[in-house]
Amino acid sequence: MHKIEMKTPLVEIDGDEMTHVLWVLIKEKLLQPFIDLKTEYYDLSIINRDACNDSVTKDAANAILKYGVGVKCATITGTEKRKKEYNLKNIFPSPNGTIRSILDGTVFRKPIILDCIRPTISTWKKPIVIARHAYGDVYKNAEMDIPEAGLVELVYTKKDGSEKRITVADMKKPGIVQGIHNLDNSIESFARSCFRYALEEKLPLWFAAKDTISQIYDTRFRNIFNAIYEKEYKTKFEDCGIEYYYTLIDDAVARLVKCEGGFLWACKNYDGDVLSDLIASASGSLAMMTSVLVSPNGAFEYEAAHGTVQQHYYRHLKGEKTSTNPVALIFAWTGALIKRAEIDGARQLSAFARKLENATINTIESGKMTADLAGISSVKNAEVLNSAEFIDAIAQSILN
Ligand code: NAP
Ligand code: MG
């Protein structure tokens, strides 16, 4: 069979556990038979990251900046427990955190919606896309254990040596303290990515924070969004018939469960972490949530929103054929291939990627699916397949 050529390689970032097992199957059964797949490969398995002192993570992020498009498997974030489990020398920061701080930019998370899977929230008719700021706040914090009573201060030392200091707390008892920061230019590029994405997808944009309580920190976010909107996007939004809407985060959450969906929600880093799992789970399954990191330099990294599906992996190691859902990983590949094709003007490649997406959806709607979907789909007599059988069924559907 004639295979589709690729002009520029995709940056391929392999990972850990069950998602790595699926990664290999997806390439072997759904991509390599149809595409002359060109990738520049980076092994971000926890064992390899440990062996090279995490240099591979930075190399992978720089490769995405160089080529423009990458696709990433889920990776284990190091913890004490994982250090013992994998016999590691070190605990390195979360690979996604490292990649995000090199690419900067914004993570957009969008659920894959199917007719046969209704959201838990009955009013939702259209997908809700979450835009998560990818820099700073609690993900770049400085924390300290306060073992006994004492004064905790925040000190800013200017280049000229002058100081500004305020009291965080005059602590009478042991406790904890944390300092977080963000940068105006990162918030500005976050805001611009959101306005741009909203226009491209014709989606109204919500932004929510807690500026009534956080009167300097969250107010800065609100003001930056507002200034950029007024100056650069207001007319474009009005022409497009969409609106930009700011509200308090608690109000936004209350509206969320009563709305129709069909909007982009810009979230600060931590809010985006929490809310994207909520939206994923309420839209159907965590395994149906796609994620793309859009950097202001025009680089894109596609991945599934879920983790390495650790518990399924332990069952896989015992020889069980697990029914782990590969859909978000497949859509990470198709998203990356479509973007690569768009940049390279490769029409056959994007046509194939869309065919693979349709084949995946058609397979589920025909009643063949993994266990997580069978539990929530409206298809009568759904046939629960294990991961390998499900991927084979998709491959068959591409050929039909
Ligand atoms: P997880 O891998 O997302 O899995 C949590 C649970 O969600 C699973 O136990 C499973 O539920 C369900 N699930 C997630 N993806 C699924 C899929 N594709 N098919 C079927 N069910 C799926 O999160 P975790 O267990 O908290 O984290 C595991 C590891 O992943 C951790 O080491 C963490 O550091 C890492 N992680 C990586 C990323 C990333 O690289 N982007 C993101 C998050 C977490 P049931 O067990 O009920 O079936
Ligand atoms: Mg999360």
Side-chain angles (χ1 to χ4, degrees):
M1 190 168 61
H2 168 74
K3 288 195 195 180
I4 298 163
E5 299 279 331
M6 282 180 69
K7 211 156 106 189
T8 319
L10 273 184
V11 179
E12 175 186 353
I13 305 179
D14 205 344
D16 290 301
E17 299 192 318
M18 206 57 217
T19 40
H20 168 71
V21 175
L22 297 175
W23 193 261
V24 173
L25 278 176
I26 291 168
K27 281 175 65 180
E28 183 190 313
K29 307 266 184 168
L30 301 179
L31 300 171
Q32 283 159 340
F34 308 98
I35 307 173
D36 197 4
L37 195 65
K38 252 196 204 169
T39 71
E40 192 167 292
Y41 182 85
Y42 292 86
D43 177 8
L44 260 65
S45 65
I46 193 149
I47 293 182
N48 192 45
R49 275 179 276 144
D50 193 55
C52 68
N53 289 322
D54 208 27
S55 63
V56 68
T57 308
K58 288 154 205 145
D59 292 346
N62 286 317
I64 297 177
L65 284 179
K66 175 177 166 194
Y67 291 108
V69 189
V71 56
K72 180 179 171 291
C73 183
T75 44
I76 295 169
T77 297
T79 57
E80 277 303 334
K81 219 169 155 191
R82 295 300 210 158
K83 189 176 169 198
K84 280 201 199 92
E85 180 182 359
Y86 284 91
N87 200 11
L88 310 172
K89 296 180 298 217
N90 287 300
I91 298 176
F92 291 106
S94 139
N96 282 16
T98 303
I99 294 172
R100 277 179 212 141
S101 65
I102 293 173
L103 297 186
D104 194 1
T106 303
V107 176
F108 293 91
R109 290 202 166 154
K110 183 178 181 183
I112 302 158
I113 300 281
L114 302 181
D115 288 341
C116 64
I117 293 168
R118 297 308 314 153
T120 324
I121 301 198
S122 57
T123 54
W124 290 359
K125 306 252 178 319
K126 295 175 247 170
I128 295 164
V129 184
I130 294 282
R132 174 179 170 190
H133 186 204
Y135 178 84
D137 300 350
V138 75
Y139 300 85
K140 275 221 172 283
N141 64 359
E143 311 185 291
M144 206 194 282
D145 177 33
I146 306 295
E148 56 184 76
L151 181 66
V152 179
E153 291 181 295
L154 209 52
V155 184
Y156 160 56
T157 314
K158 266 212 221 165
K159 280 224 166 101
D160 66 11
S162 62
E163 271 184 4
K164 208 167 153 182
R165 73 173 60 217
I166 56 166
T167 299
V168 175
D170 190 0
M171 295 180 62
K172 306 286 183 232
K173 290 184 176 156
I176 44 197
V177 64
Q178 156 169 273
I180 59 169
H181 79 280
N182 224 300
L183 300 170
D184 290 348
N185 66 2
S186 176
I187 303 167
E188 283 158 14
S189 65
F190 169 52
R192 286 200 178 89
S193 309
C194 293
F195 288 124
R196 231 179 286 142
Y197 188 100
L199 272 176
E200 253 173 52
E201 304 285 321
K202 297 194 172 39
L203 291 174
L205 174 64
W206 292 16
F207 176 55
K210 193 74 183 176
D211 61 314
T212 44
I213 300 298
S214 173
Q215 294 194 1
I216 293 180
Y217 203 102
D218 279 18
T219 300
R220 180 68 59 86
F221 275 83
R222 179 183 180 169
N223 288 347
I224 287 175
F225 264 77
N226 198 48
I228 292 177
Y229 177 67
E230 290 293 330
K231 197 161 160 219
E232 300 170 29
Y233 289 96
K234 193 166 192 243
T235 327
K236 291 180 190 147
F237 266 52
E238 283 166 1
D239 291 348
C240 183
I242 54 176
E243 64 164 358
Y244 165 62
Y245 173 67
Y246 174 84
T247 188
L248 287 169
I249 184 89
D250 35 355
D251 177 52
V253 171
R255 284 168 191 266
L256 176 71
V257 293
K258 296 212 166 97
C259 73
E260 266 206 1
F263 61 93
L264 170 65
W265 186 354
C267 295
K268 290 176 61 201
N269 210 344
Y270 175 78
D271 298 342
D273 190 355
V274 177
L275 287 166
S276 69
D277 281 14
L278 181 140
I279 302 281
S281 155
S283 300
S285 161
L286 227 145
M288 299 294 280
M289 188 77 152
T290 62
S291 179
V292 54
L293 173 64
V294 181
S295 112
N297 316 301
F300 298 81
E301 183 210 43
Y302 293 80
E303 65 167 343
H306 60 77
T308 62
V309 213
Q310 188 181 354
Q311 298 310 324
H312 290 215
Y313 182 61
Y314 295 148
R315 303 210 302 264
H316 166 83
L317 289 179
K318 285 189 194 144
E320 188 184 318
K321 289 190 163 49
T322 70
S323 186
T324 316
N325 186 340
V327 171
L329 280 173
I330 295 171
F331 275 67
W333 275 98
T334 54
L337 289 169
I338 289 166
K339 181 53 77 180
R340 188 70 267 163
E342 186 188 304
I343 298 170
D344 290 353
R347 236 177 302 153
Q348 276 193 318
L349 187 62
S350 65
F352 171 76
R354 292 198 195 282
K355 195 170 177 186
L356 173 52
E357 290 184 348
N358 289 332
T360 305
I361 290 171
N362 292 340
T363 302
I364 299 168
E365 291 191 329
S366 78
K368 294 182 170 142
M369 59 191 83
T370 46
D372 57 318
L373 297 184
I376 53 171
S377 102
S378 60
V379 176
K380 293 220 169 67
N381 306 320
E383 189 186 345
V384 176
L385 304 182
N386 65 45
S387 302
E389 291 167 341
F390 179 60
I391 288 172
D392 281 337
I394 297 170
Q396 197 53 49
S397 167
I398 299 174
L399 294 170
N400 287 343

